[in-house]
Coordinates of all heavy atoms in Angstrom, one line a residue:
N5 N -22.1 -73.3 31.8 CA -21.3 -73.7 30.5 C -22.0 -74.3 29.5 O -21.5 -75.1 28.6 CB -20.2 -74.7 31.1 CG -19.3 -74.0 32.1 OD1 -18.8 -73.0 32.0 ND2 -19.2 -74.8 33.3
S6 N -23.3 -73.9 29.3 CA -24.1 -74.6 28.2 C -23.6 -74.2 26.8 O -23.7 -75.0 25.8 CB -25.6 -74.1 28.4 OG -25.7 -72.7 28.3
A7 N -23.1 -73.0 26.7 CA -22.6 -72.6 25.4 C -21.4 -73.6 25.1 O -21.1 -73.9 23.8 CB -22.1 -71.1 25.3
Y8 N -20.5 -73.9 26.1 CA -19.4 -74.7 25.7 C -19.9 -76.1 25.3 O -19.4 -76.6 24.3 CB -18.6 -74.8 27.1 CG -17.3 -75.7 26.9 CD1 -16.1 -75.0 26.7 CD2 -17.3 -77.0 27.0 CE1 -14.9 -75.7 26.6 CE2 -16.1 -77.7 26.9 CZ -15.0 -77.1 26.7 OH -13.7 -77.7 26.5
Y9 N -20.8 -76.7 25.9 CA -21.3 -78.0 25.6 C -22.1 -78.1 24.3 O -22.0 -78.9 23.4 CB -22.1 -78.6 26.7 CG -21.5 -78.8 28.0 CD1 -21.9 -78.1 29.1 CD2 -20.3 -79.7 28.1 CE1 -21.3 -78.3 30.4 CE2 -19.7 -79.8 29.4 CZ -20.2 -79.0 30.5 OH -19.5 -79.2 31.6
T10 N -22.7 -77.1 24.0 CA -23.4 -76.8 22.7 C -22.4 -76.7 21.5 O -22.5 -77.2 20.5 CB -24.3 -75.6 22.7 OG1 -25.3 -75.7 23.7 CG2 -25.1 -75.4 21.3
A11 N -21.3 -75.9 21.7 CA -20.3 -75.8 20.7 C -19.6 -77.1 20.4 O -19.3 -77.4 19.2 CB -19.3 -74.8 21.2
I12 N -19.4 -77.9 21.3 CA -18.9 -79.3 21.1 C -19.8 -80.1 20.1 O -19.3 -80.7 19.2 CB -18.6 -80.1 22.4 CG1 -17.6 -79.4 23.3 CG2 -18.3 -81.5 22.1 CD1 -17.5 -80.2 24.6
Q13 N -21.0 -80.1 20.4 CA -22.0 -80.9 19.6 C -22.2 -80.2 18.2 O -22.7 -80.9 17.3 CB -23.3 -80.9 20.3 CG -23.3 -81.7 21.7 CD -24.5 -81.6 22.5 OE1 -25.5 -82.2 22.2 NE2 -24.5 -80.7 23.5
S14 N -21.8 -79.1 18.1 CA -21.8 -78.4 16.6 C -20.7 -78.9 15.8 O -20.6 -78.6 14.6 CB -21.9 -76.9 16.7 OG -20.5 -76.4 17.0
G15 N -19.8 -79.6 16.4 CA -18.6 -80.1 15.6 C -17.3 -79.0 15.6 O -16.4 -79.4 15.0
R16 N -17.5 -78.1 16.3 CA -16.5 -77.0 16.5 C -15.7 -77.2 17.8 O -16.0 -78.2 18.6 CB -17.0 -75.5 16.4 CG -17.8 -75.3 15.1 CD -16.9 -75.3 14.0 NE -17.4 -74.8 12.7 CZ -16.7 -74.6 11.6 NH1 -15.4 -74.8 11.6 NH2 -17.3 -74.2 10.6
T17 N -14.7 -76.5 18.0 CA -13.8 -76.7 19.2 C -13.8 -75.5 20.2 O -13.3 -74.4 19.9 CB -12.4 -76.9 18.7 OG1 -12.3 -77.9 17.7 CG2 -11.4 -77.3 19.8
P18 N -14.5 -75.6 21.3 CA -14.6 -74.6 22.3 C -13.4 -74.7 23.2 O -12.8 -75.9 23.4 CB -15.9 -74.8 23.0 CG -16.1 -76.3 23.0 CD -15.5 -76.8 21.6
L19 N -12.9 -73.5 23.6 CA -11.8 -73.5 24.6 C -12.3 -72.8 25.9 O -12.8 -71.8 26.0 CB -10.7 -72.6 24.0 CG -9.6 -72.2 25.1 CD1 -8.8 -73.5 25.6 CD2 -8.6 -71.3 24.4
G20 N -12.4 -73.7 26.9 CA -12.8 -73.2 28.3 C -11.6 -72.9 29.1 O -10.7 -73.7 29.3
V21 N -11.7 -71.6 29.6 CA -10.6 -71.2 30.4 C -11.0 -70.8 31.8 O -12.0 -70.0 32.0 CB -10.0 -69.9 29.8 CG1 -8.8 -69.3 30.5 CG2 -9.4 -70.2 28.3
S22 N -10.3 -71.2 32.8 CA -10.5 -70.8 34.2 C -9.3 -71.1 35.0 O -8.3 -71.9 34.5 CB -11.7 -71.4 34.8 OG -11.5 -72.8 35.1
W23 N -9.2 -70.7 36.3 CA -8.1 -71.0 37.1 C -8.2 -72.4 37.4 O -9.3 -73.1 37.4 CB -8.2 -70.1 38.4 CG -9.5 -69.6 38.8 CD1 -10.1 -68.4 38.4 CD2 -10.4 -70.1 39.7 NE1 -11.2 -68.1 38.9 CE2 -11.6 -69.3 39.8 CE3 -10.5 -71.4 40.4 CZ2 -12.6 -69.5 40.5 CZ3 -11.7 -71.6 41.2 CH2 -12.7 -70.6 41.2
P24 N -7.1 -73.0 38.0 CA -7.1 -74.4 38.3 C -8.1 -74.9 39.3 O -8.5 -74.0 40.2 CB -5.6 -74.7 38.7 CG -4.8 -73.5 38.2 CD -5.7 -72.4 38.2
G25 N -8.5 -76.2 39.3 CA -9.2 -76.7 40.4 C -10.8 -76.6 40.1 O -11.6 -76.7 41.1
C26 N -11.2 -76.1 39.0 CA -12.7 -75.9 38.7 C -13.4 -77.1 38.2 O -14.5 -76.9 37.6 CB -12.8 -74.6 37.8 SG -12.4 -73.1 38.6
A27 N -12.8 -78.3 38.2 CA -13.4 -79.5 37.7 C -13.7 -79.5 36.3 O -14.6 -80.1 35.8 CB -14.7 -79.8 38.4
K28 N -12.8 -78.8 35.4 CA -13.0 -78.7 34.1 C -12.9 -80.1 33.4 O -13.9 -80.6 32.6 CB -12.1 -77.7 33.3 CG -12.2 -76.3 33.8 CD -11.3 -75.3 33.1 CE -9.9 -75.5 33.2 NZ -9.4 -75.2 34.7
T29 N -11.9 -80.8 33.6 CA -11.6 -82.1 33.1 C -12.6 -83.1 33.5 O -13.2 -83.8 32.8 CB -10.2 -82.5 33.3 OG1 -9.2 -81.6 32.9 CG2 -9.9 -83.8 32.6
A30 N -12.9 -83.1 34.7 CA -13.9 -84.0 35.3 C -15.3 -83.7 34.7 O -16.0 -84.8 34.4 CB -14.1 -83.9 36.8
S31 N -15.7 -82.5 34.4 CA -17.0 -82.2 33.8 C -17.0 -82.8 32.4 O -18.0 -83.3 31.9 CB -17.2 -80.8 33.9 OG -17.3 -80.3 35.2
I32 N -15.9 -82.7 31.6 CA -15.8 -83.2 30.3 C -16.0 -84.7 30.4 O -16.6 -85.3 29.5 CB -14.5 -82.8 29.6 CG1 -14.6 -81.2 29.5 CG2 -14.4 -83.4 28.3 CD1 -15.6 -80.7 28.6
G33 N -15.5 -85.3 31.3 CA -15.6 -86.9 31.5 C -17.1 -87.1 31.8 O -17.5 -88.1 31.1
A34 N -17.8 -86.4 32.5 CA -19.2 -86.7 32.8 C -20.0 -86.3 31.5 O -21.0 -87.1 31.1 CB -19.7 -85.8 33.9
F35 N -19.6 -85.4 30.8 CA -20.3 -85.0 29.4 C -20.2 -86.1 28.5 O -21.1 -86.5 27.7 CB -19.8 -83.7 29.0 CG -20.3 -83.4 27.6 CD1 -21.7 -83.0 27.4 CD2 -19.5 -83.4 26.5 CE1 -22.1 -82.6 26.1 CE2 -20.0 -83.1 25.2 CZ -21.3 -82.7 25.0
A36 N -18.9 -86.6 28.3 CA -18.7 -87.8 27.4 C -19.6 -88.9 27.8 O -20.1 -89.6 26.9 CB -17.2 -88.2 27.4
K37 N -19.7 -89.2 29.0 CA -20.6 -90.3 29.5 C -22.0 -90.1 29.2 O -22.7 -91.0 28.7 CB -20.3 -90.6 31.0 CG -21.0 -91.8 31.5 CD -20.7 -92.0 33.0 CE -21.5 -93.3 33.5 NZ -21.2 -93.4 35.0
A38 N -22.5 -88.9 29.3 CA -23.9 -88.5 29.2 C -24.3 -88.6 27.7 O -25.4 -88.8 27.3 CB -24.1 -87.2 29.7
T39 N -23.3 -88.4 26.8 CA -23.5 -88.4 25.3 C -23.1 -89.7 24.7 O -22.9 -89.7 23.5 CB -22.8 -87.3 24.7 OG1 -21.5 -87.1 25.0 CG2 -23.5 -85.8 25.2
N40 N -22.8 -90.7 25.6 CA -22.3 -92.0 25.0 C -21.0 -92.0 24.1 O -21.0 -92.5 23.1 CB -23.4 -92.7 24.3 CG -24.6 -93.1 25.2 OD1 -24.4 -93.5 26.3 ND2 -25.8 -92.7 24.7
R41 N -20.0 -91.1 24.5 CA -18.9 -91.0 23.8 C -17.6 -91.5 24.5 O -17.7 -91.5 25.8 CB -18.5 -89.5 23.5 CG -19.7 -88.8 22.6 CD -19.0 -88.4 21.3 NE -20.1 -88.2 20.3 CZ -20.0 -87.9 19.1 NH1 -18.6 -88.0 18.7 NH2 -20.8 -87.8 18.2
K42 N -16.7 -92.1 24.0 CA -15.5 -92.5 24.5 C -14.7 -91.1 24.6 O -14.6 -90.3 23.6 CB -14.7 -93.5 23.7 CG -15.3 -95.0 24.0 CD -14.4 -96.0 23.6 CE -14.8 -97.3 24.0 NZ -13.8 -98.4 23.7
L43 N -13.9 -90.9 25.6 CA -13.1 -89.7 25.8 C -11.6 -90.1 25.8 O -11.1 -91.1 26.5 CB -13.5 -89.2 27.3 CG -12.7 -87.9 27.7 CD1 -12.9 -86.7 26.8 CD2 -12.9 -87.6 29.1
Y44 N -10.9 -89.2 25.0 CA -9.5 -89.2 25.0 C -8.9 -87.9 25.6 O -9.3 -86.9 24.8 CB -8.8 -89.7 23.8 CG -7.3 -89.9 24.0 CD1 -6.7 -91.0 24.4 CD2 -6.5 -88.8 23.6 CE1 -5.3 -91.1 24.5 CE2 -5.1 -88.8 23.7 CZ -4.6 -90.1 24.2 OH -3.2 -90.2 24.3
V45 N -8.3 -87.8 26.7 CA -7.7 -86.5 27.1 C -6.4 -86.3 26.6 O -5.4 -87.1 27.1 CB -7.8 -86.3 28.7 CG1 -7.2 -85.1 29.2 CG2 -9.3 -86.5 29.1
L46 N -6.1 -85.4 25.7 CA -4.7 -85.2 25.2 C -4.0 -84.1 26.0 O -4.4 -83.0 25.8 CB -4.9 -84.9 23.7 CG -3.7 -85.0 22.8 CD1 -4.1 -85.1 21.4 CD2 -2.8 -83.8 23.0
I47 N -3.1 -84.5 26.8 CA -2.4 -83.5 27.7 C -1.4 -82.7 26.9 O -0.4 -83.3 26.5 CB -1.8 -84.2 28.9 CG1 -2.8 -85.0 29.6 CG2 -1.1 -83.2 29.9 CD1 -3.9 -84.2 30.3
G48 N -1.6 -81.6 26.6 CA -0.8 -80.7 25.7 C 0.7 -80.5 26.3 O 1.6 -80.4 25.5
S49 N 0.8 -80.4 27.6 CA 2.0 -80.2 28.2 C 3.1 -81.2 28.0 O 4.3 -81.0 28.2 CB 1.9 -79.8 29.7 OG 1.3 -80.9 30.4
I50 N 2.6 -82.4 27.7 CA 3.7 -83.5 27.5 C 3.8 -84.1 26.1 O 4.2 -85.1 25.7 CB 3.3 -84.7 28.4 CG1 1.9 -85.3 28.1 CG2 3.4 -84.3 29.9 CD1 1.5 -86.5 28.9
R51 N 3.2 -83.2 25.1 CA 3.2 -83.6 23.7 C 4.4 -82.8 23.0 O 4.9 -81.8 23.4 CB 1.9 -83.2 23.1 CG 0.8 -84.0 23.6 CD 0.8 -85.4 23.4 NE -0.2 -86.2 24.1 CZ -0.4 -87.4 23.9 NH1 0.2 -88.1 22.9 NH2 -1.4 -88.1 24.6

Side-chain angles (χ1 to χ4, degrees):
N5 302 305
S6 60
Y8 186 94
Y9 299 119
T10 300
I12 295 176
Q13 295 172 75
S14 76
R16 298 299 189 169
T17 307
L19 170 62
V21 180
S22 75
W23 25 272
C26 291
K28 296 188 292 295
T29 307
S31 296
I32 294 302
F35 173 71
K37 184 176 181 179
T39 53
N40 297 314
R41 297 247 162 185
K42 284 196 171 185
L43 174 66
Y44 185 83
V45 179
L46 197 160
I47 306 296
S49 58
I50 59 175
R51 297 292 170 171

